[in-house]
Amino acid sequence: MTPGLAQAFVSAREGSPVGEPLATLEERLARGLSTARAAWPGVELDGARFAAHLARHLPADSPPEALERLHLADLYLACACAEGLPLAHAAFEARVLPEVHVAVARLKLPPSSVDEVRQLVRQKMLVPGPDTPARLAAYPGTGPLSGWVRAAALWLALDMQRQRSNQDVSMEDSTLSLLVDPGDDPELVYLKTTYRAEFNTAFTQALANLSPRERNTLRLKYLDGLSIDQLGALYGVHRATAARWVVAAQQALLEETRRLLTERLRLTGSQLDSVLRLISSQLDVSLSRLLRSRID
């Protein structure tokens, strides 16, 4: 039995209850590790790191037996790829990356475009960013890895088609979606129509002023659609920590937007509060559009 699996699992849960004796959990994790390693001969991922990876993919209220409902072999490969193990990368290339062709076949793309999508998937899944781990670390294990990669490939292919057909809404018209709504009160209508450009500029600058991790956290949540559980797994932290990061990044963005607007405009406190409420209510739409046009 590989020692320390249960302890690594418990530590990664950051205080969440385990639900069974450590000895029983150790045996459960050892069985899962053995099954996963058998699926990928030669891919030698540290057992404790794999146990911690599994813990970060389980919600806090999940019983230990929920581990056995996950695709453990696929999670093992994804974790090993995110750790940068060469043999894991080779296995991913040989066994999983061909799913790109399956995913985009119905789009009838030219071979050059299929190769471009394949390269995009390879880069996003296997290559870490300056402040983010490789995206495969976020694979949740609730479905086959092949299906997860197919979904990513299809999303990338469709997004590439949209960009090339110029179907994206322009930044000037959509950064904050500051369009007059019939239900707006008169003050808000005035603010939207009079200060729209300033709002867009301040919001864009506020996003640029965030730390790299704050921007990447917002990008992964609002642009890539990662859940809190997936964010936690990607960064190697508990879901509660990931949730705090998202809230803190949102708050920093709004506070910086308010500061910039205060410097540039002569608005009352109540007017600024109205603007911040507007931005908060449309944060998902605004960030998705802004981040799509200005990826870090």
Side-chain angles (χ1 to χ4, degrees):
M1 183 185 301
T2 303
L5 298 180
Q7 188 56 53
F9 184 91
V10 170
S11 297
R13 300 271 283 186
E14 295 185 1
S16 298
V18 175
E20 68 180 3
L22 288 185
T24 305
L25 177 62
E26 187 79 28
E27 292 175 0
R28 188 189 302 279
L29 290 168
R31 287 195 303 270
L33 177 63
S34 177
T35 299
R37 280 180 172 166
W40 308 105
V43 178
E44 293 295 329
L45 174 66
D46 179 72
R49 295 185 77 86
F50 181 52
H53 187 73
L54 292 177
R56 290 189 288 266
H57 279 287
L58 285 180
D61 56 352
S62 294
E65 54 267 24
L67 282 169
E68 293 159 7
R69 295 194 289 270
L70 297 175
H71 291 253
L72 293 178
D74 285 351
L75 275 166
Y76 182 88
L77 179 66
C79 183
C81 284
E83 293 282 336
L85 300 186
L87 288 179
H89 282 201
F92 181 84
E93 290 272 353
R95 299 266 296 273
V96 183
L97 206 56
E99 297 294 334
V100 171
H101 295 271
V102 177
V104 303
R106 66 183 180 85
L107 299 180
K108 301 187 184 303
L109 299 175
S112 61
S113 294
V114 175
D115 289 341
E116 186 175 351
V117 173
R118 182 186 177 98
Q119 180 58 28
L120 282 172
V121 171
R122 180 187 291 111
Q123 181 178 357
K124 286 183 174 292
M125 295 293 176
L126 298 176
V127 181
D131 300 289
T132 56
R135 192 66 54 83
L136 270 177
Y139 162 64
T142 52
L145 179 59
S146 59
W148 198 71
V149 170
R150 283 198 302 271
L154 184 58
W155 187 92
L156 287 168
L158 292 172
D159 192 57
M160 185 174 68
Q161 285 185 320
R162 281 193 296 267
Q163 290 185 24
R164 290 179 176 175
S165 60
N166 295 319
Q167 291 177 350
D168 283 349
V169 181
S170 70
M171 281 293 297
E172 176 62 23
D173 290 335
S174 67
T175 300
L176 287 179
S177 301
L178 293 176
L179 302 176
V180 175
D181 186 281
D184 285 341
D185 62 68
E187 181 184 46
L188 204 51
V189 170
Y190 173 79
L191 291 173
K192 284 183 177 182
T193 55
T194 305
Y195 298 113
R196 178 178 177 183
E198 286 83 356
F199 294 159
N200 289 344
T201 300
F203 190 69
T204 302
Q205 184 60 50
L207 182 65
N209 290 351
L210 296 180
S211 69
R213 193 186 75 184
E214 288 171 330
R215 283 197 304 275
N216 282 320
T217 299
L218 294 176
R219 181 188 69 189
L220 292 166
K221 175 173 171 54
Y222 288 102
L223 179 59
D224 294 337
L226 267 63
S227 67
I228 295 300
D229 290 310
Q230 291 171 325
L231 272 173
L234 182 65
Y235 279 101
V237 298
H238 191 263
R239 68 186 311 275
T241 300
R244 287 195 295 271
W245 286 0
V246 170
V247 172
Q250 291 171 343
Q251 189 61 36
L253 176 61
L254 295 176
E255 289 178 356
E256 180 64 3
T257 301
R258 182 187 177 107
R259 185 187 70 79
L260 292 170
L261 286 173
T262 302
E263 289 180 353
R264 296 173 183 178
L265 303 175
R266 293 193 174 188
L267 297 177
T268 66
S270 64
Q271 288 174 325
L272 280 170
D273 289 340
S274 295
V275 172
L276 268 294
R277 283 196 299 271
L278 169 67
I279 295 172
S280 299
S281 68
Q282 299 181 345
L283 193 61
D284 54 346
V285 175
S286 304
L287 276 170
S288 295
R289 289 171 174 169
L290 181 58
L291 289 166
R292 185 173 297 282
S293 63
R294 302 191 181 197
I295 296 295
D296 287 334

